[in-house]
């Protein structure tokens, strides 16, 4: 797709986090902000915001001074034919941005913009209140209380952006999963009933993205463009805007307050959802000379037409940080529920009375009103609908993880409804599916305890970059179509021309081969003998648009799974069969062409060889350059879990962390030290020789229950002097990555850092053990009802360049390590980590680096 520190462990929990966001703040434009002794009370994500009185008084002084110095005038166009679809066009290289309060005529897209060829007239700004949002129904109510038959906007008209903003404001004001799902579901139901062309752009805007993750479309707008646009349309000075930012911290809140002082005599037509999405795409497609001016012109035109809360969420969208609790799974769940409650015949499918996924009007009419809080009422109709919800949600999520493209999914739904969605949106070569992920384990004994006598294979876990390789024989002159995707589904085909050449050679060698999708690990090797090299060697390669002649680091593709072959989807086949096909159809291959990549299979050992063979293979792993082992079930069966037999298929499960794939890293094994993937979210000013550096650094793990990052411990060990300097440069005060106020949605518990970091990095951390803590709130309730968990003697190992905060270690994992420890030695109260550390001298370890997990 508020950011406040908690005053104490007993205070209310923070809002949900959006981990993958790459927020751009206004700080780059404003420069460093003065030190604040405490976060302001009125900042972050709230819908009703007021500037603190001293700031407001100063702003009024500046505005009054401005009015005395210059006439209160704005430019207005008289051209009523201009349309917003032309905003920031390539022909408009002058970037004729509107002055304060520019007003254009009406447009089919619902946004007015000035025509540069039309004479303008000058009028005075009118002082009045911010236009109120339309009186929409509450969206967070029960699905059967919300009246979807009542048109939210005038019938037969496009959906206004204010309706989507109404949904976003509702989402930002709650942490309740029920209200979040109700809000999203009711929003999508209204769009399905009253303006379906707005459904697709709404899904993207709610997800805080513009296109599928594998596309090259990026907003590419800097914080300076946003801040200049706000300053231009508001008429505020940079110092006044800086004070607003110091008071609120969030760019969206700043835009809302700044825009509240802008008034025009001629009202603008309302912004439309479709038009806003089109303009964002126009910003993303603005390239070359003058692109920054074109982007700023579009932003200004959007903001001029925005009313009330619209300006807040427009800027948050532009900053890639909506600050609402709607994650991908919630959006897919809501889409499925909305479809269950929408007429199937109106979607182009069969009558919903004959569809297992859709609710009949009779069933809906039998649903009782929601029971009062604390009371349970038997409602068979609601329970039957709940079962339909579960089926529909599973279907939509299954299709999405195999084909993550909202445009194709929406088209499939409109062409045949839920019943034929898999048929219309199948697994497709050239569109990446989400990879299967492995579950961490701590020892070979634990693996045998979990899998018992089920047959498995142990594979080298290479220190490289996971790659999903798609190949399809072309129909034009036999030229194949080849794509290489990362574990995050990003297209990195141009990064590896040597692998593209390898696949072309494979197609030439195998005339019968038509298409395939392979899961693999790309590893740097010594071209002379094929010896493995480190991930750091691989990371030295350029990231895109690489030429074969420029390649200095040779690679090998270590294939370990086959998901698709010659038109057949293999996901439901047992791993033993998939691996057999992989080895027979794709044998090791080394092209004769200089510089071409090579293909090989992962080195492995079968459990049928006996425990001694597996143990010997493990010892070989420890001595090698690999990260550890991947244990993969060869055939389906059942495993022991909490004294029960749990079915365990050996199928390929996209986007699931399955127990059929177990990850045994060297650092996870008892006796070698625990490691966690943690996110730096704040820091304190260093003392002594570390003055001027950040030390210690506050680290967090992911709390999947509350969709946020929660602080665990401070870390000041394992960093080199060079790394400290690089950290200061990256997290410099006044940059997009560092703030004196908690701008990002994290739960810091009882920790009070001097500054807060944008949570976008992941570090691998090793610690002595897990302890109860009176300061940390991590895993509160999982290990103890009154204390969270912390990591004793944390030590930085390396940067995980391959991981985003969404892939960080979880509170569940933290709690499981703690519980495992309790079986070995009882923790005492004296072991509690109070968060205070003794500063130590840095050593030679800790250079920035990373490693791509083969499993995630």
């Amino acid at each position: 797709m508020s950011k406040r520190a908690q005053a104490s462990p007993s205070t209310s929990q923070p809002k949900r986090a959006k981990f993958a966001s790459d927020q751009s703040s206004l700080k780059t434009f404003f420069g460093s902000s003065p030190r604040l002794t405490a976060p302001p009370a009125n900042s972050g994500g709230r819908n009703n915001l007021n500037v603190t009185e001293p700031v407001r008084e100063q702003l009024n002084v500046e505005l009054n001074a401005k009015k005395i110095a210059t006439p209160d005038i704005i430019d207005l166009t008289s051209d009523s034919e201009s349309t917003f679809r032309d905003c920031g066009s390539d022909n408009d290289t002058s970037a004729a941005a509107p002055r304060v309060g520019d007003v254009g005529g009406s447009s089919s897209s619902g946004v007015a913009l000035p025509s540069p060829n039309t004479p303008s007239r000058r009028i005075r700004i009118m002082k009045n209140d911010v236009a109120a949002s339309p009186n929409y129904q509450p969206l967070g109510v029960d699905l059967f209380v919300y009246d979807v038959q009542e048109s939210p906007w005038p019938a037969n008209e496009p959906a206004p952006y204010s309706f989507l903003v109404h949904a976003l404001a509702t989402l930002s004001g709650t942490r309740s999963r029920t209200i979040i799902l109700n809000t999203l579901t009711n929003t999508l139901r209204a769009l399905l009933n009253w303006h379906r062309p707005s459904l697709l752009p709404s899904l993207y805007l709610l997800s805080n993205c513009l296109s599928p993750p594998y596309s090259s479309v990026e907003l590419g707008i800097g914080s300076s463009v946003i801040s200049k646009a706000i300053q231009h349309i508001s008429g505020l000075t940079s110092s006044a805007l800086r004070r607003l930012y110091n008071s609120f911290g969030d760019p969206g809140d700043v835009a809302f307050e700044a825009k509240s002082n802008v008034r025009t005599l001629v009202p603008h037509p309302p912004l439309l959802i479709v038009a806003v999405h089109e303009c964002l795409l126009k910003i993303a497609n603005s390239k070359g000379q003058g692109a920054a001016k074109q982007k700023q012109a579009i932003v200004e035109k959007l903001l001029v037409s925005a009313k009330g809360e619209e300006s807040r969420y427009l800027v948050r969208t532009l900053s890639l940080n909506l600050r609402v609790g709607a994650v991908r799974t919630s959006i897919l769940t809501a889409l499925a529920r909305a479809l269950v409650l929408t007429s199937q015949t109106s979607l182009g499918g069969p009558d919903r009375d004959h569809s297992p996924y859709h609710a009949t009007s009779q069933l809906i009419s039998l649903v009782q009103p929601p029971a009062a809080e604390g009371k349970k009422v038997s409602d068979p109709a609601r329970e039957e609908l709940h079962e339909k919800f579960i089926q529909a949600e599973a279907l939509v999520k299954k299709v999405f993880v195999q084909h993550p493209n909202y445009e194709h999914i929406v088209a499939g739904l409109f062409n045949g409804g839920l019943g034929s969605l898999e048929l219309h949106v199948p697994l497709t070569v050239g569109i990446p599916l989400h990879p299967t992920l492995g579950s961490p384990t701590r020892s070979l004994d634990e693996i045998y305890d979990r899998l018992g006598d089920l047959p498995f294979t142990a594979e080298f876990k290479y220190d490289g970059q996971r790659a999903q390789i798609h190949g399809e024989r072309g129909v034009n002159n036999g030229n194949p179509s080849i794509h290489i995707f990362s574990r995050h589904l990003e297209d990195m085909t141009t990064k590896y021309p040597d692998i593209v050449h390898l696949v072309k050679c494979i197609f030439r060698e195998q005339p019968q081969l038509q298409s395939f999708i392979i899961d693999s690990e790309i590893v740097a090797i010594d071209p002379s003998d094929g010896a493995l090299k480190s991930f750091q060697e691989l990371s030295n390669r350029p990231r895109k648009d690489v030429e074969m002649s420029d390649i200095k680091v040779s690679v090998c593709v270590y294939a370990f799974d086959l998901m698709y072959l010659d038109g057949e989807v293999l996901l439901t086949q047992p791993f033993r069969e998939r691996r057999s096909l992989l080895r027979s159809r794709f044998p090791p291959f080394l092209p004769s062409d200089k510089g071409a990549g090579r293909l090989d299979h992962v080195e492995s050992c079968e459990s049928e060889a006996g425990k001694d063979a597996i143990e010997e293979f493990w010892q070989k792993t420890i001595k090698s350059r690999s990260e550890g082992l991947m244990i993969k079930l060869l055939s389906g069966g059942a495993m022991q879990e909490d004294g029960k037999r749990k079915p365990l298929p050996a199928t390929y499960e996209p986007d699931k962390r399955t127990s059929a794939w177990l990850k045994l890293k060297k650092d996870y094994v008892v006796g070698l030290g625990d490691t966690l993937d943690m996110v730096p979210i704040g820091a304190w000013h260093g003392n002594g020789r570390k003055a001027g550096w950040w030390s210690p650094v506050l680290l967090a793990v992911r709390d999947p229950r509350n969709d946020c990052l929660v602080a665990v411990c401070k870390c000041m060990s394992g960093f080199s002097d060079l790394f400290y300097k690089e950290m200061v440069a990256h997290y410099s005060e006044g940059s997009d990555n560092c703030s004196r106020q908690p701008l990002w949605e994290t739960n810091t518990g009882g920790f009070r850092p001097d500054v807060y970091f944008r949570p976008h990095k992941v570090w691998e951390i090793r610690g002595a053990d897990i302890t109860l803590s009176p300061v940390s709130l991590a895993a509160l309730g999982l290990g103890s009802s009154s204390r969270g968990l912390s990591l004793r003697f944390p030590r930085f190992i390396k940067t995980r360049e391959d991981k985003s905060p969404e892939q960080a270690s979880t509170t569940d994992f933290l709690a499981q390590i703690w519980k495992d420890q309790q079986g070995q030695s009882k923790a005492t109260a004296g072991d509690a980590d109070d968060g205070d550390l003794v500063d130590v001298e840095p050593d030679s370890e800790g250079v920035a680096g990373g490693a791509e997990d083969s499993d995630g």
Side-chain angles (χ1 to χ4, degrees), residues 77 82-89 92-99 101-104 110-116 229-230 232-233 259 268-271 276 279 282-283 293-307 310 314 318:
T77 70
S82 60
T83 65
F84 196 77
R85 294 181 187 275
D86 298 327
C87 65
S89 65
D92 185 17
T93 56
S94 63
R99 298 178 62 182
D102 275 352
V103 177
V111 184
L113 57 143
S115 171
I230 295 174
H232 197 184
I233 66 102
K259 183 65 163 54
H268 289 265
L271 286 167
V276 170
C279 288
K282 185 67 178 177
I283 291 174
K293 290 184 178 180
Q294 293 174 21
K295 292 179 179 182
Q296 182 178 334
I298 299 173
V299 173
E300 290 182 3
K301 292 165 186 176
L302 282 169
L303 290 176
V304 165
S305 295
K307 297 180 178 66
E310 293 175 351
L314 272 173
L318 292 167

Side-chain angles (χ1 to χ4, degrees), residues 309-328:
E309 289 287 322
E310 293 175 351
S311 58
R312 189 195 314 276
Y313 289 97
L314 272 173
V315 170
R316 287 184 181 177
T317 296
L318 292 167
S319 301
L320 299 178
N321 187 21
L322 275 177
R323 300 179 65 181
V324 299
V327 294
R328 187 192 75 208

Side-chain angles (χ1 to χ4, degrees), residues 118-263:
T118 303
S120 62
R121 56 193 177 88
R122 292 172 174 266
I123 63 171
R124 287 188 175 275
I125 300 176
M126 294 189 65
K127 185 70 175 179
N128 50 34
D129 295 330
V130 177
S133 298
N135 189 24
Y136 295 117
Q137 294 184 63
L139 289 169
V141 298
D142 184 83
L143 302 183
F144 305 100
V145 171
Y146 183 79
D147 185 5
V148 74
Q149 299 304 320
E150 178 185 330
S151 178
W153 53 85
N156 302 320
E157 290 190 10
Y161 181 62
S162 60
F163 178 70
L164 192 64
V165 168
H166 175 52
L168 292 171
T170 304
L171 292 170
S172 70
T174 183
R175 293 182 63 254
S176 166
R177 176 169 170 78
T178 299
I179 296 178
I180 287 173
L181 289 178
N182 285 346
T183 300
L184 290 170
T185 303
N186 290 328
T187 300
L188 298 180
R189 289 172 67 198
L191 294 171
L192 282 166
N193 275 274
W194 297 102
H195 193 246
R196 293 196 178 158
S198 295
L199 177 63
L200 177 61
S202 294
L203 289 172
Y204 279 125
L205 291 172
L206 287 168
S207 303
N208 211 186
C209 62
L210 298 178
S211 62
Y214 56 87
S215 73
S216 59
V217 178
E218 295 181 358
L219 198 56
I221 187 169
S223 56
S224 63
V225 170
I226 299 173
S227 59
K228 288 177 181 177
I230 295 174
Q231 184 180 359
H232 197 184
I233 66 102
S234 67
L236 293 175
T237 64
S238 60
S239 60
L241 213 55
R242 185 184 300 113
R243 274 189 289 277
L244 277 179
Y245 187 81
N246 290 341
S247 179
F248 292 110
D250 175 70
D253 298 341
V254 171
F256 174 82
E257 187 64 28
K259 183 65 163 54
S260 67
N261 291 302
V262 177
R263 304 292 176 262

Side-chain angles (χ1 to χ4, degrees), residues 419-565:
S420 58
L421 184 60
E422 284 189 277
L423 178 65
H424 286 98
V425 192
L427 178 69
T428 304
V429 178
I431 296 178
L433 65 155
H434 286 262
T436 293
L437 307 174
S439 300
T441 54
R442 291 168 52 83
S443 68
L444 287 174
D445 289 338
E446 181 183 341
I447 289 171
Y448 278 106
D449 288 342
R450 295 174 71 171
L451 300 183
D453 296 329
L454 295 177
F456 65 81
T457 181
E459 299 177 345
F460 265 23
K461 187 178 185 302
Y462 293 96
D463 188 13
Q465 183 173 28
R466 190 166 182 176
Q468 194 179 119
I469 303 176
H470 293 230
E472 185 172 24
R473 189 177 294 278
V475 294
N476 297 323
N477 301 322
N479 292 324
S481 172
I482 301 165
H483 295 279
I484 305 170
F485 301 102
S486 73
R487 56 174 289 170
H488 301 302
L489 312 188
E490 297 165 345
D491 193 333
M492 53 181 187
T493 306
T494 61
K495 178 180 179 179
Y496 292 108
D498 40 356
I499 296 178
V500 172
H501 184 77
L502 166 68
V503 175
K504 290 180 179 179
C505 291
I506 292 175
F507 273 115
R508 286 200 299 266
E509 292 289 322
Q510 300 187 41
Q512 76 283 6
L513 180 64
Q514 297 300 315
S515 57
F516 67 86
I517 301 176
I518 284 177
D519 209 347
S520 66
E521 191 84 2
I522 298 176
V523 184
I525 61 169
D526 186 330
S528 61
D529 58 4
L532 301 179
K533 292 187 175 183
S534 68
F535 177 78
Q536 280 71 24
E537 295 277 354
L538 185 66
S539 64
N540 288 332
R541 289 177 58 123
R543 294 185 178 273
K544 60 182 180 179
D545 300 328
V546 180
E547 299 291 337
M548 283 277 288
S549 58
D550 298 331
I551 294 175
K552 298 179 180 179
V553 179
S554 299
V555 298
C556 178
V557 175
Y558 286 95
F560 56 77
D561 215 326
L562 182 63
M563 297 91 85
Y564 184 94
L565 181 64

Side-chain angles (χ1 to χ4, degrees), residues 748-763:
T748 56
F751 296 102
R752 291 292 176 270
D754 293 336
V755 293
Y756 298 85
F757 290 170
R758 179 168 69 89
H760 65 294
K761 292 283 188 179
V762 178
W763 293 351

